[in-house]
Amino acid sequence: MAERIELTFLGTGSAIPTRRRNHPAMLLKYKTENILIDCGEGTQRQFRKASLNPCKITKILITHWHGDHTFGLPGILNTLRLNGYNRKLEIYGPRGSKEWVRKYFDLVGKRGEDLDVVVKEVGDGVVFNEKEYFVEARKMNHDCPAVAYSFVVREKSRLDREKLKKLKIPNSPLVGKLAEGKVVEIDGKKVDGKKLLYREASRKVAFVMDTRVNENTVKLAKGADLLVCESTYSKEESEEFLGKRAHLSSVEAAGIAKKAKVKGLALVHLSQRYEGIPKVILGEAKKVFGKVIIPEDLDKVVL
Ligand SMILES: [Zn+2]
Ligand SMILES: [Zn+2]
């Protein structure tokens, strides 16, 4: 069985919070990794409501430094400090992030120095790389330096446990050799590990937050299992603000999903105007791309 990728939508609103939608924040859990994507005001409260522990955060990916995506950071840093957070906290963000983190630490005060934080400014490319998974960033087109991210679990080969059982192969270090595809001798019989392996497909979740339409969105989201994408405007409003806006509309977000051939689309960063009528956005997007949802705060998706 593949390890689960769990995504919790902590905040699905945009610049102004509503009763139902807090500012942008999402938590992606995979094995020991707990990656927070954006951290709008009140995000630490959303953690509590979702019964999640901010002290388990391993990395924070900031898409850009507009307040609706980052005002929750000083609060969460303060809580981590009070709770004796003892990991190295990695914060990733676009050009200028080091200066922004410094300003936010000034708000936390001198005691913020207790925390071991490393800030990495990213552009186009892989931003961190582990054996089984990696995160890639691409530059976006907004009113300030901005990036989008994708989290990718690599394709891998796994041992078929059922086949092992049928061959009555006992648990021993030899099983590890089989998992590497090697031939081993068990009870005088040669067993070829390659014949016991199967391929587990790679998985990808892409996060496109505030941006104008640009080619990098499609490149980043290509083939994703899930694209989480901002959809601030309806089609009609989008035409009204044409040329003035730095955001995507429902149909633009759906167009990116279609072009990138993703398997599913989740629309977030909804304007407060759609508090009671997200169906307007949903209906418009559906005409372009069928597999679309509009998650509510604290909704969870498992991949
Ligand atoms: Zn925003
Ligand atoms: Zn913004």
Side-chain angles (χ1 to χ4, degrees), residues 10-11 22 25 39-52 54 72 75-76 79 297-298:
L10 293 166
N22 203 53
C39 187
E41 181 190 341
T43 292
Q44 57 169 330
R45 190 86 201 291
Q46 299 297 90
F47 265 86
R48 298 229 88 151
K49 288 187 188 167
S51 301
L52 293 166
I76 234 165
T79 294
D297 282 16
L298 312 185

mmCIF file of all heavy atoms in Angstrom, residues 10-11 22 25 39-52 54 72 75-76 79 297-298:
data_model
loop_
_atom_site.group_PDB
_atom_site.id
_atom_site.type_symbol
_atom_site.label_atom_id
_atom_site.label_comp_id
_atom_site.label_asym_id
_atom_site.label_seq_id
_atom_site.Cartn_x
_atom_site.Cartn_y
_atom_site.Cartn_z
ATOM 1 N N LEU A 10 -6.711 24.379 5.561
ATOM 2 C CA LEU A 10 -6.888 25.110 6.820
ATOM 3 C C LEU A 10 -7.611 26.431 6.591
ATOM 4 O O LEU A 10 -8.326 26.909 7.466
ATOM 5 C CB LEU A 10 -5.530 25.345 7.476
ATOM 6 C CG LEU A 10 -4.830 24.061 7.956
ATOM 7 C CD1 LEU A 10 -3.366 24.334 8.261
ATOM 8 C CD2 LEU A 10 -5.522 23.493 9.178
ATOM 9 N N GLY A 11 -7.411 27.002 5.420
ATOM 10 C CA GLY A 11 -8.087 28.253 5.081
ATOM 11 C C GLY A 11 -8.319 28.319 3.581
ATOM 12 O O GLY A 11 -7.385 28.137 2.812
ATOM 13 N N ASN A 22 -11.385 31.010 6.290
ATOM 14 C CA ASN A 22 -10.243 31.757 6.827
ATOM 15 C C ASN A 22 -9.248 32.028 5.696
ATOM 16 O O ASN A 22 -9.384 31.526 4.589
ATOM 17 C CB ASN A 22 -9.597 30.963 7.964
ATOM 18 C CG ASN A 22 -8.806 31.863 8.903
ATOM 19 O OD1 ASN A 22 -9.335 32.851 9.398
ATOM 20 N ND2 ASN A 22 -7.548 31.553 9.111
ATOM 21 N N ALA A 25 -4.181 28.763 3.874
ATOM 22 C CA ALA A 25 -3.195 27.887 4.517
ATOM 23 C C ALA A 25 -3.608 26.445 4.240
ATOM 24 O O ALA A 25 -4.801 26.141 4.216
ATOM 25 C CB ALA A 25 -3.150 28.120 6.028
ATOM 26 N N CYS A 39 0.405 30.817 5.254
ATOM 27 C CA CYS A 39 0.063 30.891 6.676
ATOM 28 C C CYS A 39 -0.678 32.195 6.957
ATOM 29 O O CYS A 39 -0.141 33.120 7.550
ATOM 30 C CB CYS A 39 1.364 30.793 7.487
ATOM 31 S SG CYS A 39 1.090 30.664 9.247
ATOM 32 N N GLY A 40 -1.919 32.249 6.496
ATOM 33 C CA GLY A 40 -2.734 33.440 6.732
ATOM 34 C C GLY A 40 -3.024 33.634 8.212
ATOM 35 O O GLY A 40 -2.832 32.730 9.034
ATOM 36 N N GLU A 41 -3.495 34.820 8.551
ATOM 37 C CA GLU A 41 -3.831 35.158 9.943
ATOM 38 C C GLU A 41 -4.795 34.106 10.520
ATOM 39 O O GLU A 41 -5.754 33.706 9.870
ATOM 40 C CB GLU A 41 -4.506 36.537 9.941
ATOM 41 C CG GLU A 41 -4.905 37.044 11.285
ATOM 42 C CD GLU A 41 -5.776 38.296 11.137
ATOM 43 O OE1 GLU A 41 -5.763 38.926 10.073
ATOM 44 O OE2 GLU A 41 -6.478 38.613 12.108
ATOM 45 N N GLY A 42 -4.503 33.688 11.740
ATOM 46 C CA GLY A 42 -5.397 32.726 12.403
ATOM 47 C C GLY A 42 -5.141 31.279 12.032
ATOM 48 O O GLY A 42 -5.891 30.393 12.435
ATOM 49 N N THR A 43 -4.069 31.024 11.301
ATOM 50 C CA THR A 43 -3.805 29.643 10.873
ATOM 51 C C THR A 43 -3.598 28.716 12.069
ATOM 52 O O THR A 43 -4.052 27.570 12.065
ATOM 53 C CB THR A 43 -2.583 29.588 9.927
ATOM 54 O OG1 THR A 43 -2.935 30.247 8.707
ATOM 55 C CG2 THR A 43 -2.162 28.171 9.604
ATOM 56 N N GLN A 44 -2.950 29.227 13.130
ATOM 57 C CA GLN A 44 -2.703 28.323 14.267
ATOM 58 C C GLN A 44 -4.011 27.914 14.946
ATOM 59 O O GLN A 44 -4.131 26.817 15.483
ATOM 60 C CB GLN A 44 -1.705 28.902 15.244
ATOM 61 C CG GLN A 44 -2.040 30.236 15.830
ATOM 62 C CD GLN A 44 -1.079 30.541 16.975
ATOM 63 O OE1 GLN A 44 -0.593 29.636 17.648
ATOM 64 N NE2 GLN A 44 -0.797 31.791 17.210
ATOM 65 N N ARG A 45 -5.013 28.764 14.900
ATOM 66 C CA ARG A 45 -6.332 28.405 15.431
ATOM 67 C C ARG A 45 -6.966 27.315 14.550
ATOM 68 O O ARG A 45 -7.610 26.402 15.057
ATOM 69 C CB ARG A 45 -7.200 29.667 15.453
ATOM 70 C CG ARG A 45 -8.491 29.516 16.183
ATOM 71 C CD ARG A 45 -8.343 29.766 17.665
ATOM 72 N NE ARG A 45 -9.436 29.150 18.411
ATOM 73 C CZ ARG A 45 -10.691 29.535 18.376
ATOM 74 N NH1 ARG A 45 -11.041 30.579 17.649
ATOM 75 N NH2 ARG A 45 -11.605 28.906 19.069
ATOM 76 N N GLN A 46 -6.751 27.425 13.261
ATOM 77 C CA GLN A 46 -7.278 26.418 12.335
ATOM 78 C C GLN A 46 -6.625 25.047 12.599
ATOM 79 O O GLN A 46 -7.276 24.017 12.498
ATOM 80 C CB GLN A 46 -7.034 26.826 10.879
ATOM 81 C CG GLN A 46 -7.694 28.128 10.460
ATOM 82 C CD GLN A 46 -9.212 28.060 10.528
ATOM 83 O OE1 GLN A 46 -9.813 28.373 11.556
ATOM 84 N NE2 GLN A 46 -9.842 27.641 9.450
ATOM 85 N N PHE A 47 -5.352 25.064 12.968
ATOM 86 C CA PHE A 47 -4.663 23.817 13.355
ATOM 87 C C PHE A 47 -5.424 23.139 14.489
ATOM 88 O O PHE A 47 -5.668 21.948 14.484
ATOM 89 C CB PHE A 47 -3.235 24.110 13.834
ATOM 90 C CG PHE A 47 -2.188 23.970 12.766
ATOM 91 C CD1 PHE A 47 -1.897 25.035 11.928
ATOM 92 C CD2 PHE A 47 -1.495 22.783 12.603
ATOM 93 C CE1 PHE A 47 -0.929 24.916 10.940
ATOM 94 C CE2 PHE A 47 -0.524 22.659 11.621
ATOM 95 C CZ PHE A 47 -0.234 23.725 10.785
ATOM 96 N N ARG A 48 -5.782 23.953 15.484
ATOM 97 C CA ARG A 48 -6.472 23.382 16.654
ATOM 98 C C ARG A 48 -7.820 22.819 16.272
ATOM 99 O O ARG A 48 -8.211 21.740 16.704
ATOM 100 C CB ARG A 48 -6.645 24.465 17.726
ATOM 101 C CG ARG A 48 -5.322 24.991 18.213
ATOM 102 C CD ARG A 48 -5.264 24.996 19.684
ATOM 103 N NE ARG A 48 -4.788 23.749 20.238
ATOM 104 C CZ ARG A 48 -4.147 23.678 21.396
ATOM 105 N NH1 ARG A 48 -3.904 24.757 22.069
ATOM 106 N NH2 ARG A 48 -3.769 22.517 21.874
ATOM 107 N N LYS A 49 -8.546 23.572 15.442
ATOM 108 C CA LYS A 49 -9.868 23.109 15.017
ATOM 109 C C LYS A 49 -9.761 21.805 14.242
ATOM 110 O O LYS A 49 -10.662 20.982 14.277
ATOM 111 C CB LYS A 49 -10.541 24.175 14.152
ATOM 112 C CG LYS A 49 -11.010 25.380 14.921
ATOM 113 C CD LYS A 49 -11.807 26.280 13.989
ATOM 114 C CE LYS A 49 -12.144 27.601 14.643
ATOM 115 N NZ LYS A 49 -12.633 28.556 13.640
ATOM 116 N N ALA A 50 -8.667 21.646 13.526
ATOM 117 C CA ALA A 50 -8.484 20.424 12.721
ATOM 118 C C ALA A 50 -7.799 19.317 13.534
ATOM 119 O O ALA A 50 -7.456 18.276 12.989
ATOM 120 C CB ALA A 50 -7.654 20.749 11.482
ATOM 121 N N SER A 51 -7.583 19.557 14.834
ATOM 122 C CA SER A 51 -6.853 18.624 15.703
ATOM 123 C C SER A 51 -5.471 18.284 15.153
ATOM 124 O O SER A 51 -5.043 17.134 15.151
ATOM 125 C CB SER A 51 -7.644 17.331 15.915
ATOM 126 O OG SER A 51 -8.878 17.619 16.489
ATOM 127 N N LEU A 52 -4.798 19.306 14.666
ATOM 128 C CA LEU A 52 -3.431 19.117 14.177
ATOM 129 C C LEU A 52 -2.479 19.887 15.094
ATOM 130 O O LEU A 52 -2.892 20.852 15.733
ATOM 131 C CB LEU A 52 -3.300 19.658 12.750
ATOM 132 C CG LEU A 52 -4.088 18.915 11.671
ATOM 133 C CD1 LEU A 52 -4.154 19.738 10.384
ATOM 134 C CD2 LEU A 52 -3.459 17.549 11.393
ATOM 135 N N PRO A 54 0.801 22.194 15.424
ATOM 136 C CA PRO A 54 1.771 22.989 14.649
ATOM 137 C C PRO A 54 3.225 22.608 14.938
ATOM 138 O O PRO A 54 4.105 22.852 14.105
ATOM 139 C CB PRO A 54 1.480 24.437 15.060
ATOM 140 C CG PRO A 54 0.603 24.375 16.243
ATOM 141 C CD PRO A 54 -0.060 23.035 16.271
ATOM 142 N N GLY A 72 -0.259 35.057 9.605
ATOM 143 C CA GLY A 72 -0.333 34.060 10.674
ATOM 144 C C GLY A 72 1.030 33.602 11.150
ATOM 145 O O GLY A 72 1.152 32.889 12.153
ATOM 146 N N GLY A 75 2.422 34.613 14.794
ATOM 147 C CA GLY A 75 1.672 33.877 15.821
ATOM 148 C C GLY A 75 2.129 32.435 15.915
ATOM 149 O O GLY A 75 2.348 31.911 17.021
ATOM 150 N N ILE A 76 2.285 31.817 14.792
ATOM 151 C CA ILE A 76 2.670 30.404 14.811
ATOM 152 C C ILE A 76 4.113 30.256 15.312
ATOM 153 O O ILE A 76 4.436 29.343 16.070
ATOM 154 C CB ILE A 76 2.443 29.752 13.434
ATOM 155 C CG1 ILE A 76 1.569 28.509 13.612
ATOM 156 C CG2 ILE A 76 3.725 29.361 12.729
ATOM 157 C CD1 ILE A 76 0.975 27.955 12.360
ATOM 158 N N THR A 79 4.038 30.451 19.029
ATOM 159 C CA THR A 79 3.539 29.205 19.630
ATOM 160 C C THR A 79 4.607 28.119 19.591
ATOM 161 O O THR A 79 4.793 27.374 20.567
ATOM 162 C CB THR A 79 2.265 28.735 18.893
ATOM 163 O OG1 THR A 79 1.256 29.707 19.136
ATOM 164 C CG2 THR A 79 1.786 27.391 19.388
ATOM 165 N N ASP A 297 -13.174 25.093 4.673
ATOM 166 C CA ASP A 297 -12.119 25.061 5.688
ATOM 167 C C ASP A 297 -12.192 23.744 6.470
ATOM 168 O O ASP A 297 -13.293 23.297 6.812
ATOM 169 C CB ASP A 297 -12.288 26.230 6.669
ATOM 170 C CG ASP A 297 -11.785 27.535 6.072
ATOM 171 O OD1 ASP A 297 -11.602 27.607 4.843
ATOM 172 O OD2 ASP A 297 -11.581 28.481 6.837
ATOM 173 N N LEU A 298 -11.028 23.175 6.745
ATOM 174 C CA LEU A 298 -10.840 21.949 7.529
ATOM 175 C C LEU A 298 -11.194 20.675 6.744
ATOM 176 O O LEU A 298 -11.080 19.574 7.281
ATOM 177 C CB LEU A 298 -11.594 21.971 8.872
ATOM 178 C CG LEU A 298 -11.426 23.237 9.727
ATOM 179 C CD1 LEU A 298 -12.129 23.058 11.058
ATOM 180 C CD2 LEU A 298 -9.969 23.584 9.953
#
